[in-house]
Amino acid sequence: MKRVIVICGYGPGISHAVAIRFGRAGHPVALLARSAQRLAAAERELAREGIQARSFVADLSDVEKVRHVVREVRTALGPIGVLHWNAFLDAEGDLLSAPLAELGKSFDIRVLSYLAAVRACLADLEACGGTVLATSGIMALDEPWIDSFAFDYGALAISVAAQHKATGILAQALSPRGIHVGEVIVNGFVAGTPGGTGKSNTVAPVDIAERFWALHTTRQAHSMICGSVLPIEEGRRHG
């Protein structure tokens, strides 16, 4: 039996596809999110696919609850081999008008809670040469054409950029300890989700999940872009 994958911030798009991809490969799946109803439905659906999955209700914006739920997962399912951070706050507003508290909330979940999860899983990941995976978005990158449309989504843009930097630092820091760290940068709207409805530039969740699988299995790249590499239309994206 392969080690557990912990999916933080489970939803119907990217993280569901990741759960299926890793679950079919034999990894027991732990699903973490706030909605008990959504989690219960996901657990039943994955069971029909023959995937061992268990859900854990948790507010991932609270670092103490992050630590607690990771302990719950380990007790229930065993040692953790893969951590997938998919949690984020869909923050509104630009840098000049958005309430500063909202900017802080977005940063906290993208960076502080993410780091709390990595720390909580660290002993297990080091013991097995595990993997840390993070869902990122195109606004993380430092390019003028990105900044030109990112202003209206400043709260989102600066938090995903900070997460991108944290992931890069973790990749360097944890490599000597046998832990591979990688991210998939989503360039587009996620197909099949409310944010992707009616949009032309969409990325299929299964394609994103395959990138995560490649990061985990090949352990070469630390960052992959999924979606067009050309400038994309203005609008809401995964970040």
Side-chain angles (χ1 to χ4, degrees), residues 184-216:
V184 174
I185 298 174
V186 181
N187 185 14
F189 300 90
V190 180
T193 65
T197 302
K199 302 298 192 300
S200 59
N201 189 9
T202 59
V203 186
V206 293
D207 292 339
I208 299 169
E210 284 299 330
R211 299 296 200 288
F212 278 122
W213 183 250
L215 286 169
H216 171 64

Side-chain angles (χ1 to χ4, degrees), residues 57-134:
V57 178
D59 179 0
L60 298 175
S61 66
D62 185 325
V63 294
E64 288 301 325
K65 291 180 180 177
V66 170
R67 296 185 187 108
H68 177 74
V69 74
V70 169
R71 289 194 296 269
E72 279 191 292
V73 169
R74 195 180 192 286
T75 298
L77 297 177
I80 295 163
V82 185
L83 170 67
H84 176 214
W85 190 259
N86 189 66
F88 67 99
L89 176 66
D90 200 3
E92 299 282 352
D94 63 64
L95 296 183
L96 299 180
S97 63
L100 294 179
E102 289 302 307
L103 299 183
K105 289 178 184 177
S106 182
F107 176 87
D108 286 352
I109 196 165
R110 285 274 194 181
V111 179
L112 301 186
S113 293
Y114 171 39
L115 294 177
V118 172
R119 292 181 183 187
C121 297
L122 194 57
D124 280 357
L125 295 173
E126 189 169 12
C128 71
T131 309
V132 175
L133 302 171

Side-chain angles (χ1 to χ4, degrees), residues 106-183:
S106 182
F107 176 87
D108 286 352
I109 196 165
R110 285 274 194 181
V111 179
L112 301 186
S113 293
Y114 171 39
L115 294 177
V118 172
R119 292 181 183 187
C121 297
L122 194 57
D124 280 357
L125 295 173
E126 189 169 12
C128 71
T131 309
V132 175
L133 302 171
T135 305
S136 188
I138 199 66
M139 282 189 249
L141 302 184
D142 185 18
E143 297 286 349
W145 67 267
I146 295 173
D147 292 343
S148 69
F149 73 73
F151 176 78
D152 289 335
Y153 309 102
L156 178 63
I158 62 171
S159 60
V160 74
Q163 179 189 293
H164 170 68
K165 188 64 174 180
T167 298
I169 294 170
L170 288 172
Q172 298 303 314
L174 297 182
S175 178
R177 301 169 75 166
I179 301 170
H180 187 70
V181 180
E183 66 177 359

